[in-house]
Amino acid sequence: MLLVLFVSCTSSNSSSIDFQQLSDKEREQMAKEIARNTIIVDGHVDLPYRMHHQGFNIEKGILNVSQSTKTGDFDYPRAKAGGLDAPFMSIYISTKYQGSGGAKLLADSLVLMTKKIAENWPDKFAMAYSPADIISNFEAGKISLPLGMENGAPLEGNLQNLDHFYEQGIRYITLTHGKDNLIGDSSYDTTYTHGGLSTFGVEVVKKMNQLGIMVDISHVSDDTFLDVIEISEVPVIASHSSARYFTPGFERNMDDQMIAKLGQNGGVIMINFGGDFIDGDFGESNRKVEEHLSKWLEENNYEKDEPEAMAYIEAYKSENDPFPSVSQVADHIDHVLSIAGIDHIGLGSDFDGVGDTLPTGLKDVSMYPNLIAELLKRGYSKEDIEKICFKNIFRVWGEVIDYSKKN
């Protein structure tokens, strides 16, 4: 296995430290050290979608994420500050393309766009198609850009397109998105078109196994998930999902039975940081805050970008913060640990994909150390954190690669 070739550079004596006995400041410093010296893989970052909507094209150039950016959650300086080494670039395809056509064409464009990042700034970024690539890039001080496709619509009903996307570098596919598609049913849809995977979807999962593409069950319905678990010959992932225990009725998250089955399958759930995924009350709390601010602006005849209004908004949100905390994100990790164990947890932030809903203390890619510090405070060891940050997803990815080589 690839993992035996890699040894974390974190200080060797840190494993004997009782992190719970440290002060908050000492733990924060230790968390930064761990983040800096340990590979951090994030299962889902929507940078390609962000670039697409900011008017990217090959002739005019590309959003310069090699420098600090005023918008979005990801850029090179913030990623390095947070210790992020391998954000899976989400090749997100809206469900509208399932009806209008053009899904494959857009996916190809987004893949090309992502590869341009590595081409434009080869001293900072590099593509990665395996755990070995990520390790090599990490040792060279570069941020890896592995590719995952969100929504299987670009397959357009043709299994041969799986070969195409594998050759393009796609290493996981989120089978559905917001609506049922040709592969299976979505957690956000209530049509239940197929009652789980379609006949085509069964063939998709089998061929993904054969090619070495990880199957991602984020966004699928519960029935689709159960079909995938039954059919897949290798572990599967949830690239950006959290625990439904904390968000009752939110099928987009995974319930306890699904988490248990994912663990039995050998898979990994990569925790989504978005407010709606972490706190079942976030939507209502945030709505009340926004309603108050909208009413205040109207009553006082202010635009929200005026200095007086901005000062009021900042103060009000500080006093009536609707956003989840880093502690609540750690609660999801604790919950998965209690059901499936430490070997089945990862990080899948959904940065650049969930808008202004991110937890206080986890607002962008510079802030992973805040979560690590919270886990240290709860008694997680350095070895536990390494599993969460990269070893668990590397294990699954390695098993998928090994199976494909034998088939």
Short mmCIF file of all heavy atoms in Angstrom, two decimals, residues 68-121:
data_model
loop_
_atom_site.label_atom_id
_atom_site.label_comp_id
_atom_site.label_asym_id
_atom_site.label_seq_id
_atom_site.Cartn_x
_atom_site.Cartn_y
_atom_site.Cartn_z
N SER A 68 -3.92 36.05 -3.10
CA SER A 68 -5.10 36.26 -2.26
C SER A 68 -6.25 36.80 -3.09
O SER A 68 -6.06 37.68 -3.94
CB SER A 68 -4.78 37.24 -1.12
OG SER A 68 -3.79 36.72 -0.27
N THR A 69 -7.43 36.27 -2.87
CA THR A 69 -8.61 36.74 -3.57
C THR A 69 -9.60 37.32 -2.57
O THR A 69 -9.69 36.85 -1.43
CB THR A 69 -9.29 35.60 -4.35
OG1 THR A 69 -9.63 34.54 -3.44
CG2 THR A 69 -8.36 35.04 -5.41
N LYS A 70 -10.32 38.34 -2.98
CA LYS A 70 -11.26 39.01 -2.08
C LYS A 70 -12.56 38.24 -1.95
O LYS A 70 -13.33 38.47 -1.01
CB LYS A 70 -11.54 40.43 -2.58
CG LYS A 70 -10.32 41.35 -2.52
CD LYS A 70 -10.67 42.76 -3.00
CE LYS A 70 -9.46 43.68 -2.93
NZ LYS A 70 -9.78 45.05 -3.40
N THR A 71 -12.83 37.36 -2.89
CA THR A 71 -14.07 36.59 -2.87
C THR A 71 -13.76 35.11 -2.68
O THR A 71 -12.62 34.66 -2.83
CB THR A 71 -14.85 36.77 -4.18
OG1 THR A 71 -14.04 36.30 -5.27
CG2 THR A 71 -15.19 38.24 -4.41
N GLY A 72 -14.79 34.36 -2.38
CA GLY A 72 -14.66 32.91 -2.31
C GLY A 72 -13.94 32.43 -1.06
O GLY A 72 -13.50 33.21 -0.21
N ASP A 73 -13.81 31.11 -0.98
CA ASP A 73 -13.26 30.46 0.21
C ASP A 73 -11.87 29.88 -0.02
O ASP A 73 -11.22 29.46 0.95
CB ASP A 73 -14.18 29.30 0.64
CG ASP A 73 -15.62 29.73 0.81
OD1 ASP A 73 -15.85 30.88 1.23
OD2 ASP A 73 -16.52 28.92 0.50
N PHE A 74 -11.40 29.85 -1.28
CA PHE A 74 -10.14 29.17 -1.59
C PHE A 74 -9.20 30.06 -2.39
O PHE A 74 -9.60 30.69 -3.36
CB PHE A 74 -10.42 27.90 -2.40
CG PHE A 74 -9.17 27.19 -2.88
CD1 PHE A 74 -8.60 26.20 -2.11
CD2 PHE A 74 -8.57 27.53 -4.09
CE1 PHE A 74 -7.44 25.55 -2.54
CE2 PHE A 74 -7.42 26.90 -4.52
CZ PHE A 74 -6.85 25.89 -3.75
N ASP A 75 -7.96 30.10 -1.99
CA ASP A 75 -6.84 30.57 -2.81
C ASP A 75 -5.56 30.00 -2.20
O ASP A 75 -5.58 29.42 -1.12
CB ASP A 75 -6.80 32.10 -2.91
CG ASP A 75 -6.76 32.81 -1.57
OD1 ASP A 75 -5.99 32.39 -0.69
OD2 ASP A 75 -7.50 33.80 -1.39
N TYR A 76 -4.45 30.14 -2.92
CA TYR A 76 -3.20 29.52 -2.49
C TYR A 76 -2.72 30.01 -1.13
O TYR A 76 -2.39 29.18 -0.26
CB TYR A 76 -2.13 29.75 -3.56
CG TYR A 76 -0.79 29.13 -3.22
CD1 TYR A 76 -0.56 27.79 -3.46
CD2 TYR A 76 0.23 29.90 -2.65
CE1 TYR A 76 0.67 27.20 -3.16
CE2 TYR A 76 1.45 29.32 -2.33
CZ TYR A 76 1.67 27.98 -2.59
OH TYR A 76 2.88 27.41 -2.27
N PRO A 77 -2.65 31.33 -0.89
CA PRO A 77 -2.16 31.77 0.42
C PRO A 77 -3.00 31.24 1.59
O PRO A 77 -2.45 30.82 2.61
CB PRO A 77 -2.23 33.30 0.33
CG PRO A 77 -2.11 33.60 -1.12
CD PRO A 77 -2.86 32.49 -1.79
N ARG A 78 -4.32 31.24 1.43
CA ARG A 78 -5.16 30.76 2.52
C ARG A 78 -5.04 29.24 2.67
O ARG A 78 -5.05 28.71 3.79
CB ARG A 78 -6.62 31.16 2.28
CG ARG A 78 -6.88 32.65 2.57
CD ARG A 78 -8.35 33.00 2.43
NE ARG A 78 -8.77 33.07 1.03
CZ ARG A 78 -10.02 33.29 0.64
NH1 ARG A 78 -10.98 33.43 1.54
NH2 ARG A 78 -10.32 33.37 -0.64
N ALA A 79 -4.92 28.52 1.55
CA ALA A 79 -4.76 27.07 1.63
C ALA A 79 -3.47 26.71 2.35
O ALA A 79 -3.44 25.80 3.19
CB ALA A 79 -4.79 26.45 0.23
N LYS A 80 -2.38 27.40 2.03
CA LYS A 80 -1.11 27.11 2.70
C LYS A 80 -1.19 27.45 4.18
O LYS A 80 -0.65 26.72 5.02
CB LYS A 80 0.02 27.90 2.03
CG LYS A 80 0.34 27.46 0.61
CD LYS A 80 0.74 25.99 0.52
CE LYS A 80 2.17 25.73 0.93
NZ LYS A 80 2.59 24.33 0.67
N ALA A 81 -1.87 28.55 4.51
CA ALA A 81 -2.02 28.93 5.92
C ALA A 81 -2.79 27.87 6.70
O ALA A 81 -2.52 27.62 7.88
CB ALA A 81 -2.72 30.28 6.03
N GLY A 82 -3.76 27.24 6.05
CA GLY A 82 -4.58 26.23 6.71
C GLY A 82 -4.06 24.82 6.61
O GLY A 82 -4.61 23.91 7.21
N GLY A 83 -2.97 24.63 5.84
CA GLY A 83 -2.40 23.30 5.70
C GLY A 83 -3.10 22.41 4.69
O GLY A 83 -2.86 21.21 4.65
N LEU A 84 -3.96 22.99 3.84
CA LEU A 84 -4.69 22.19 2.86
C LEU A 84 -3.75 21.79 1.73
O LEU A 84 -3.14 22.63 1.09
CB LEU A 84 -5.87 23.00 2.31
CG LEU A 84 -6.68 22.32 1.19
CD1 LEU A 84 -7.31 21.02 1.68
CD2 LEU A 84 -7.77 23.27 0.68
N ASP A 85 -3.69 20.49 1.46
CA ASP A 85 -2.76 19.97 0.47
C ASP A 85 -3.42 19.36 -0.75
O ASP A 85 -2.80 19.31 -1.81
CB ASP A 85 -1.87 18.91 1.12
CG ASP A 85 -1.09 19.45 2.30
OD1 ASP A 85 -0.21 20.31 2.09
OD2 ASP A 85 -1.39 19.04 3.44
N ALA A 86 -4.65 18.88 -0.62
CA ALA A 86 -5.28 18.18 -1.73
C ALA A 86 -6.79 18.38 -1.71
O ALA A 86 -7.54 17.50 -1.27
CB ALA A 86 -4.94 16.69 -1.69
N PRO A 87 -7.25 19.53 -2.18
CA PRO A 87 -8.70 19.74 -2.30
C PRO A 87 -9.22 19.08 -3.57
O PRO A 87 -8.75 19.39 -4.67
CB PRO A 87 -8.82 21.26 -2.40
CG PRO A 87 -7.53 21.70 -3.03
CD PRO A 87 -6.48 20.73 -2.56
N PHE A 88 -10.15 18.16 -3.45
CA PHE A 88 -10.77 17.60 -4.65
C PHE A 88 -11.56 18.73 -5.33
O PHE A 88 -12.47 19.31 -4.75
CB PHE A 88 -11.71 16.45 -4.29
CG PHE A 88 -11.07 15.10 -4.36
CD1 PHE A 88 -10.45 14.56 -3.25
CD2 PHE A 88 -11.07 14.37 -5.54
CE1 PHE A 88 -9.84 13.31 -3.30
CE2 PHE A 88 -10.47 13.12 -5.62
CZ PHE A 88 -9.84 12.59 -4.49
N MET A 89 -11.18 19.01 -6.57
CA MET A 89 -11.85 20.03 -7.35
C MET A 89 -13.16 19.47 -7.89
O MET A 89 -13.17 18.48 -8.64
CB MET A 89 -10.96 20.48 -8.51
CG MET A 89 -9.67 21.17 -8.09
SD MET A 89 -9.91 22.88 -7.53
CE MET A 89 -9.96 22.67 -5.74
N SER A 90 -14.26 20.09 -7.51
CA SER A 90 -15.58 19.59 -7.89
C SER A 90 -15.94 20.04 -9.30
O SER A 90 -16.08 21.23 -9.56
CB SER A 90 -16.64 20.10 -6.91
OG SER A 90 -17.93 19.78 -7.37
N ILE A 91 -16.08 19.07 -10.19
CA ILE A 91 -16.57 19.35 -11.54
C ILE A 91 -18.09 19.26 -11.47
O ILE A 91 -18.71 18.24 -11.78
CB ILE A 91 -15.96 18.34 -12.55
CG1 ILE A 91 -14.44 18.34 -12.46
CG2 ILE A 91 -16.43 18.67 -13.98
CD1 ILE A 91 -13.78 19.70 -12.66
N TYR A 92 -18.67 20.37 -11.00
CA TYR A 92 -20.11 20.40 -10.70
C TYR A 92 -20.92 20.70 -11.95
O TYR A 92 -20.67 21.67 -12.67
CB TYR A 92 -20.40 21.44 -9.63
CG TYR A 92 -21.86 21.84 -9.55
CD1 TYR A 92 -22.83 20.89 -9.23
CD2 TYR A 92 -22.27 23.15 -9.80
CE1 TYR A 92 -24.16 21.24 -9.16
CE2 TYR A 92 -23.60 23.50 -9.73
CZ TYR A 92 -24.55 22.54 -9.42
OH TYR A 92 -25.87 22.90 -9.37
N ILE A 93 -21.94 19.88 -12.19
CA ILE A 93 -22.83 20.05 -13.34
C ILE A 93 -24.26 20.19 -12.83
O ILE A 93 -24.82 19.28 -12.23
CB ILE A 93 -22.75 18.83 -14.30
CG1 ILE A 93 -21.30 18.57 -14.71
CG2 ILE A 93 -23.64 19.07 -15.52
CD1 ILE A 93 -20.62 19.72 -15.42
N SER A 94 -24.83 21.36 -13.05
CA SER A 94 -26.19 21.63 -12.61
C SER A 94 -27.18 20.67 -13.25
O SER A 94 -27.00 20.22 -14.39
CB SER A 94 -26.56 23.07 -12.97
OG SER A 94 -27.95 23.29 -12.79
N THR A 95 -28.25 20.39 -12.52
CA THR A 95 -29.27 19.47 -13.04
C THR A 95 -29.98 20.03 -14.27
O THR A 95 -30.60 19.26 -15.01
CB THR A 95 -30.32 19.17 -11.96
OG1 THR A 95 -30.88 20.40 -11.48
CG2 THR A 95 -29.70 18.42 -10.79
N LYS A 96 -29.87 21.34 -14.51
CA LYS A 96 -30.55 21.90 -15.69
C LYS A 96 -30.01 21.30 -16.99
O LYS A 96 -30.72 21.21 -18.00
CB LYS A 96 -30.43 23.42 -15.72
CG LYS A 96 -29.04 23.95 -16.00
CD LYS A 96 -29.02 25.48 -15.99
CE LYS A 96 -27.65 26.03 -16.31
NZ LYS A 96 -27.62 27.52 -16.28
N TYR A 97 -28.74 20.84 -16.95
CA TYR A 97 -28.14 20.27 -18.16
C TYR A 97 -28.67 18.87 -18.44
O TYR A 97 -28.46 18.33 -19.53
CB TYR A 97 -26.62 20.25 -18.03
CG TYR A 97 -26.03 21.64 -18.04
CD1 TYR A 97 -25.73 22.28 -16.83
CD2 TYR A 97 -25.79 22.32 -19.23
CE1 TYR A 97 -25.20 23.57 -16.83
CE2 TYR A 97 -25.26 23.60 -19.22
CZ TYR A 97 -24.96 24.22 -18.01
OH TYR A 97 -24.46 25.49 -18.01
N GLN A 98 -29.36 18.27 -17.47
CA GLN A 98 -29.96 16.97 -17.70
C GLN A 98 -31.12 17.08 -18.70
O GLN A 98 -31.41 16.12 -19.41
CB GLN A 98 -30.49 16.37 -16.38
CG GLN A 98 -29.37 16.06 -15.40
CD GLN A 98 -29.85 15.66 -14.02
OE1 GLN A 98 -29.07 15.65 -13.08
NE2 GLN A 98 -31.14 15.35 -13.87
N GLY A 99 -31.75 18.27 -18.76
CA GLY A 99 -32.84 18.47 -19.70
C GLY A 99 -32.40 19.18 -20.97
O GLY A 99 -32.84 18.84 -22.06
N SER A 100 -31.50 20.16 -20.82
CA SER A 100 -31.11 20.99 -21.96
C SER A 100 -30.00 20.38 -22.79
O SER A 100 -29.78 20.78 -23.94
CB SER A 100 -30.66 22.36 -21.46
OG SER A 100 -29.46 22.25 -20.68
N GLY A 101 -29.25 19.41 -22.23
CA GLY A 101 -28.08 18.88 -22.92
C GLY A 101 -26.86 19.74 -22.62
O GLY A 101 -26.95 20.81 -22.02
N GLY A 102 -25.71 19.24 -23.04
CA GLY A 102 -24.48 19.99 -22.85
C GLY A 102 -23.72 19.66 -21.59
O GLY A 102 -22.72 20.32 -21.27
N ALA A 103 -24.17 18.65 -20.84
CA ALA A 103 -23.51 18.31 -19.57
C ALA A 103 -22.07 17.86 -19.78
O ALA A 103 -21.15 18.29 -19.08
CB ALA A 103 -24.30 17.23 -18.84
N LYS A 104 -21.85 16.99 -20.75
CA LYS A 104 -20.50 16.49 -21.01
C LYS A 104 -19.58 17.62 -21.48
O LYS A 104 -18.43 17.71 -21.05
CB LYS A 104 -20.53 15.37 -22.06
CG LYS A 104 -19.15 14.80 -22.38
CD LYS A 104 -19.26 13.64 -23.36
CE LYS A 104 -17.88 13.09 -23.71
NZ LYS A 104 -17.07 14.06 -24.48
N LEU A 105 -20.10 18.47 -22.33
CA LEU A 105 -19.30 19.59 -22.84
C LEU A 105 -18.86 20.51 -21.71
O LEU A 105 -17.70 20.93 -21.65
CB LEU A 105 -20.12 20.37 -23.87
CG LEU A 105 -19.40 21.53 -24.58
CD1 LEU A 105 -18.26 20.99 -25.43
CD2 LEU A 105 -20.40 22.30 -25.44
N LEU A 106 -19.77 20.80 -20.78
CA LEU A 106 -19.42 21.67 -19.66
C LEU A 106 -18.42 20.97 -18.75
O LEU A 106 -17.46 21.60 -18.27
CB LEU A 106 -20.67 22.04 -18.87
CG LEU A 106 -20.43 22.88 -17.61
CD1 LEU A 106 -19.70 24.18 -17.94
CD2 LEU A 106 -21.74 23.17 -16.88
N ALA A 107 -18.62 19.69 -18.50
CA ALA A 107 -17.68 18.97 -17.64
C ALA A 107 -16.27 19.00 -18.23
O ALA A 107 -15.29 19.24 -17.52
CB ALA A 107 -18.14 17.52 -17.45
N ASP A 108 -16.17 18.80 -19.53
CA ASP A 108 -14.86 18.86 -20.19
C ASP A 108 -14.24 20.25 -20.02
O ASP A 108 -13.03 20.38 -19.79
CB ASP A 108 -15.00 18.54 -21.68
CG ASP A 108 -15.22 17.06 -21.95
OD1 ASP A 108 -14.88 16.24 -21.08
OD2 ASP A 108 -15.75 16.73 -23.03
N SER A 109 -15.06 21.28 -20.13
CA SER A 109 -14.58 22.64 -19.98
C SER A 109 -14.06 22.90 -18.57
O SER A 109 -13.01 23.52 -18.38
CB SER A 109 -15.70 23.63 -20.31
OG SER A 109 -15.32 24.96 -20.03
N LEU A 110 -14.78 22.41 -17.56
CA LEU A 110 -14.37 22.62 -16.18
C LEU A 110 -13.09 21.86 -15.84
O LEU A 110 -12.25 22.34 -15.08
CB LEU A 110 -15.49 22.21 -15.23
CG LEU A 110 -16.78 23.04 -15.29
CD1 LEU A 110 -17.82 22.48 -14.33
CD2 LEU A 110 -16.52 24.50 -14.99
N VAL A 111 -12.94 20.66 -16.42
CA VAL A 111 -11.70 19.90 -16.23
C VAL A 111 -10.53 20.67 -16.83
O VAL A 111 -9.46 20.83 -16.21
CB VAL A 111 -11.81 18.50 -16.86
CG1 VAL A 111 -10.44 17.82 -16.91
CG2 VAL A 111 -12.79 17.63 -16.08
N LEU A 112 -10.71 21.17 -18.05
CA LEU A 112 -9.67 21.96 -18.71
C LEU A 112 -9.31 23.19 -17.89
O LEU A 112 -8.13 23.54 -17.72
CB LEU A 112 -10.13 22.36 -20.11
CG LEU A 112 -9.18 23.25 -20.92
CD1 LEU A 112 -7.86 22.54 -21.17
CD2 LEU A 112 -9.83 23.66 -22.25
N MET A 113 -10.34 23.86 -17.36
CA MET A 113 -10.14 25.05 -16.55
C MET A 113 -9.28 24.73 -15.32
O MET A 113 -8.36 25.47 -14.96
CB MET A 113 -11.51 25.58 -16.10
CG MET A 113 -11.49 26.84 -15.30
SD MET A 113 -13.11 27.17 -14.55
CE MET A 113 -14.21 27.02 -15.94
N THR A 114 -9.58 23.61 -14.68
CA THR A 114 -8.83 23.22 -13.49
C THR A 114 -7.38 22.91 -13.84
O THR A 114 -6.45 23.30 -13.11
CB THR A 114 -9.49 22.02 -12.81
OG1 THR A 114 -10.86 22.32 -12.52
CG2 THR A 114 -8.79 21.65 -11.53
N LYS A 115 -7.17 22.21 -14.93
CA LYS A 115 -5.80 21.89 -15.34
C LYS A 115 -5.00 23.14 -15.67
O LYS A 115 -3.77 23.16 -15.52
CB LYS A 115 -5.83 20.92 -16.54
CG LYS A 115 -6.34 19.53 -16.16
CD LYS A 115 -6.37 18.59 -17.34
CE LYS A 115 -6.82 17.19 -16.90
NZ LYS A 115 -6.90 16.24 -18.05
N LYS A 116 -5.69 24.19 -16.10
CA LYS A 116 -5.01 25.46 -16.40
C LYS A 116 -4.39 26.06 -15.14
O LYS A 116 -3.39 26.79 -15.21
CB LYS A 116 -6.00 26.45 -17.02
CG LYS A 116 -6.22 26.25 -18.51
CD LYS A 116 -4.99 26.66 -19.30
CE LYS A 116 -5.19 26.48 -20.79
NZ LYS A 116 -3.98 26.88 -21.55
N ILE A 117 -5.01 25.81 -13.98
CA ILE A 117 -4.44 26.31 -12.73
C ILE A 117 -3.03 25.75 -12.55
O ILE A 117 -2.08 26.48 -12.26
CB ILE A 117 -5.33 25.94 -11.54
CG1 ILE A 117 -6.71 26.57 -11.65
CG2 ILE A 117 -4.66 26.36 -10.22
CD1 ILE A 117 -7.68 26.10 -10.58
N ALA A 118 -2.91 24.43 -12.72
CA ALA A 118 -1.61 23.79 -12.56
C ALA A 118 -0.63 24.23 -13.64
O ALA A 118 0.57 24.38 -13.39
CB ALA A 118 -1.78 22.27 -12.58
N GLU A 119 -1.13 24.45 -14.85
CA GLU A 119 -0.26 24.91 -15.94
C GLU A 119 0.22 26.34 -15.73
O GLU A 119 1.38 26.67 -16.00
CB GLU A 119 -1.00 24.80 -17.27
CG GLU A 119 -1.28 23.38 -17.72
CD GLU A 119 -2.12 23.34 -18.98
OE1 GLU A 119 -2.24 24.39 -19.66
OE2 GLU A 119 -2.66 22.26 -19.30
N ASN A 120 -0.67 27.20 -15.23
CA ASN A 120 -0.32 28.61 -15.05
C ASN A 120 0.61 28.86 -13.88
O ASN A 120 1.44 29.77 -13.92
CB ASN A 120 -1.60 29.43 -14.87
CG ASN A 120 -2.38 29.60 -16.14
OD1 ASN A 120 -2.00 29.09 -17.19
ND2 ASN A 120 -3.51 30.29 -16.07
N TRP A 121 0.47 28.05 -12.81
CA TRP A 121 1.28 28.26 -11.60
C TRP A 121 1.88 26.93 -11.14
O TRP A 121 1.55 26.41 -10.06
CB TRP A 121 0.41 28.89 -10.51
CG TRP A 121 -0.18 30.19 -10.96
CD1 TRP A 121 0.46 31.37 -11.20
CD2 TRP A 121 -1.57 30.43 -11.29
NE1 TRP A 121 -0.42 32.33 -11.65
CE2 TRP A 121 -1.68 31.79 -11.71
CE3 TRP A 121 -2.72 29.65 -11.25
CZ2 TRP A 121 -2.88 32.36 -12.09
CZ3 TRP A 121 -3.93 30.21 -11.63
CH2 TRP A 121 -3.99 31.54 -12.04
#
